[in-house]
Amino acid sequence: MCCVLIGAIPLKAQVAAPKFGVPFDFPLLLSGNFGELRSNHFHGGLDFKTQGVTGKPLLAIADGYISKVTVTAGGYGNALYITHDNGYTSVHGHLDRFLPEIARLVRERQYKEQSFVVTLEFDADDFRVRQGDVVAYAGNTGYSFGPHLHMEIRTTDTNEPIDPLPFYKDKIADNIAPRATRIMVYGAKDEGKVELASTVKGAAAMDGKVIVNAQHSTLNTQPSVINAWGRIGTGISANDYMDGTSNNYGVRYVRLYMDNRLVSSSNVDRFAFDENRLINSWTDYAEQRRSGRWYMCSSIAENNNLRMLSADEQRGWVTIDEERDYHFRYELEDLYGNRSTYRFVVRGKRMEMPRHMPNYNYRMDASRNSRLYSQGFELWMPEGTLFDDVELDYEVIPSDMDQADHYRLSDAVVPLRKAAEITIPTHKDWHIDGSKLYVARVNGKRRTYCGGTYRFGRITANITELGTYTVCADTIAPKITPISSTSWRSSRKIVCRIGDGQTGIRDYRGMIDGRWVLFKYSSKNAQLTCDLKAEGIKPGKHKVEIVVTDMRKNENKLVMDCEL
């Protein structure tokens, strides 16, 4: 059996595996594992539980030096990077606080740049650490919704995340096999067809797919509940589990067999950051958007070179061309060797393929540059933007006097491998400053901000999926809402909620008595907080000013005379 490895990694000489110490001095439990499927990306590390509290001392996992710290409102929040002597770099996110000397340097930089968001980089001799040294304290900052440590291990030379779990297998118990919830069978466009052969509880057919409950007993018996003909693919929705937790995790190994022949497999062991968007091709993007459920698919698109995946010469497609039973088997396995197997039968039933009735006016070729231009509207997709060739049913949908026209590229939402450029003419005479206009993705009544630059009556933006787009205007300033201002004096903290209903927050500034003061911002609750004691503001009467700007540079200012 021929097997094609997508994006194969060159073989290297055998070297001794590095050794890493533990990040904490208490028993380790995970709330998230490496490579979990997330929106537009893979989870790049392990999430360690911190016993439900913040402030746990974080230990260096190997000798090296602190090379970088970052502070952001979302993402990793407070993050620490350690470049180790063994050729790897560890990244530690959502920290509560840094060591005092580093915290002092961070605060100095924040005041120098007058920005809460900062990055500091250090030389190899600035902050040397030894394995086991306390280097920071775990927390809940950034886009974190409970105390934990996000820890990555990256190869220093390539900056690629690898799975840290192999270094901690003897420290984390796992005797539970992965489990699947649903199995999907789908036909290749114009080349395959599937149907539900009989009515079974937990099974459904829609949009050229059949989805079956993976736990149903009929999966392991005959007759099959799925009929098919031509080229088909399959997908599976599954999670892994571990001892001592109620969390679910991503599955390390998935293997699909047909009649005992290996069709495709995945090994979630490492990735590069520029591979993140390939998740939208490996998984069923439309189904995830519709139901929120992830399906890992067997078929691999031509422009998906994700190294986690391997497949046979048909790139994971199976040809059903005999009227017989085809026996499929999914094997799910974790790093500890716990394995579960799911068998199902697809019955070959001769069916007439749906005749391809061209219902499009533009065909975009994935292997070359593609451009759509019509009456001032333009879509530009460089080679490699698409995963597969796409037929666009492009249409301009007129709107009423107060709204911009809608530009439909595709009824289905099609993910892109990298950003495409869209340019929309602004025919409507809105008498609005062009800097207030932006491109928006249309989803029913919802409008999603895509940014854009206005020039000569047209606005250009980058998009990462094909769908329907329009032009909107944002002339409304963000909101600033003081929270319990009467208690600011007693709590010695100023707290405000800021928000923008259309385009989002671009920037903010906080001043007391005309002087810039550090206000910390949390994206998860949209709150600005100033610790008056930490910032050296003495009790008494003060003038507080907060200025907030949205993505279209609409500005709002809150001015209050307060007893602090």
Side-chain angles (χ1 to χ4, degrees), residues 199-389:
T199 301
V200 177
K201 183 178 180 181
M206 65 181 78
D207 300 326
K209 311 168 187 174
V210 171
I211 298 175
V212 182
N213 188 328
Q215 305 297 329
H216 203 281
S217 61
T218 55
L219 277 177
N220 295 306
T221 61
Q222 295 187 22
S224 169
V225 297
I226 304 168
N227 291 336
W229 195 254
R231 292 181 76 214
I232 69 167
T234 70
I236 191 164
S237 182
N239 293 303
D240 196 11
Y241 302 87
M242 286 186 168
D243 297 11
T245 78
S246 59
N247 301 85
N248 56 59
Y249 311 92
V251 181
R252 175 61 180 263
Y253 303 104
V254 177
R255 305 181 190 95
L256 173 68
Y257 296 84
M258 189 278 292
D259 291 345
N260 292 319
R261 178 177 65 84
L262 181 62
V263 172
S264 67
S265 64
S266 59
N267 176 11
V268 186
D269 61 343
R270 66 186 297 155
F271 65 90
F273 287 110
D274 63 4
E275 293 179 298
N276 265 318
R277 288 197 59 81
L278 302 183
I279 192 175
N280 296 326
S281 174
W282 176 30
T283 61
D284 189 320
Y285 187 78
E287 186 62 26
Q288 203 283 325
R289 290 284 297 269
R290 186 190 70 82
S291 67
R293 191 179 299 277
W294 293 98
Y295 287 87
M296 296 167 283
C297 296
S298 63
S299 59
I300 303 176
E302 290 297 326
N303 268 352
N304 187 348
N305 57 349
L306 183 61
R307 291 171 297 167
M308 297 177 184
L309 309 180
S310 60
D312 60 15
E313 64 278 0
Q314 294 192 65
R315 299 185 69 86
W317 294 101
V318 172
T319 300
I320 305 295
D321 56 3
E322 299 177 42
E323 292 189 297
R324 64 175 178 87
D325 286 346
Y326 291 75
H327 296 268
F328 287 79
R329 179 174 87 252
Y330 266 115
E331 289 183 357
L332 311 177
E333 187 175 353
D334 63 25
L335 196 62
Y336 295 74
N338 302 303
R339 183 184 299 179
S340 58
T341 300
Y342 294 85
R343 304 176 190 276
F344 60 103
V345 174
V346 173
R347 175 155 293 173
K349 177 185 176 184
R350 192 177 300 275
M351 290 183 271
E352 185 177 348
M353 291 296 107
R355 292 186 61 186
H356 181 62
M357 302 295 292
N359 186 29
Y360 65 93
N361 40 29
Y362 287 90
R363 180 178 176 84
M364 314 302 268
D365 191 332
S367 64
R368 64 184 65 183
N369 298 338
S370 297
R371 184 188 299 272
L372 182 163
Y373 187 85
S374 175
Q375 297 179 330
F377 175 87
E378 187 172 2
L379 171 67
W380 164 246
M381 293 193 292
E383 177 185 344
T385 300
L386 292 166
F387 289 108
D388 289 301
D389 296 349

Side-chain angles (χ1 to χ4, degrees), residues 96 266 561:
D96 183 61
S266 59
D561 291 314

Side-chain angles (χ1 to χ4, degrees), residues 120-166:
L120 283 75
E121 295 184 348
F122 305 111
D123 294 331
D125 296 329
D126 290 340
F127 294 101
R128 289 289 306 176
V129 298
R130 300 295 300 271
Q131 180 177 315
D133 287 350
V134 174
V135 292
Y137 298 88
N140 189 30
T141 58
Y143 207 65
S144 165
F145 294 90
H148 75 281
L149 170 72
H150 172 84
M151 191 187 83
E152 299 176 12
I153 294 179
R154 304 178 184 176
T155 53
T156 300
D157 57 346
T158 65
N159 197 40
E160 291 184 0
I162 65 170
D163 187 0
L165 188 56

Side-chain angles (χ1 to χ4, degrees), residues 67-84:
S67 52
K68 184 167 69 171
V69 296
T70 61
V71 177
T72 57
Y76 296 160
N78 296 333
L80 178 86
Y81 295 68
I82 300 178
T83 300
H84 299 289

Side-chain angles (χ1 to χ4, degrees), residues 20-31:
F20 289 101
V22 293
F24 296 112
D25 63 358
F26 51 81
L28 302 181
L29 291 173
L30 299 183
S31 58

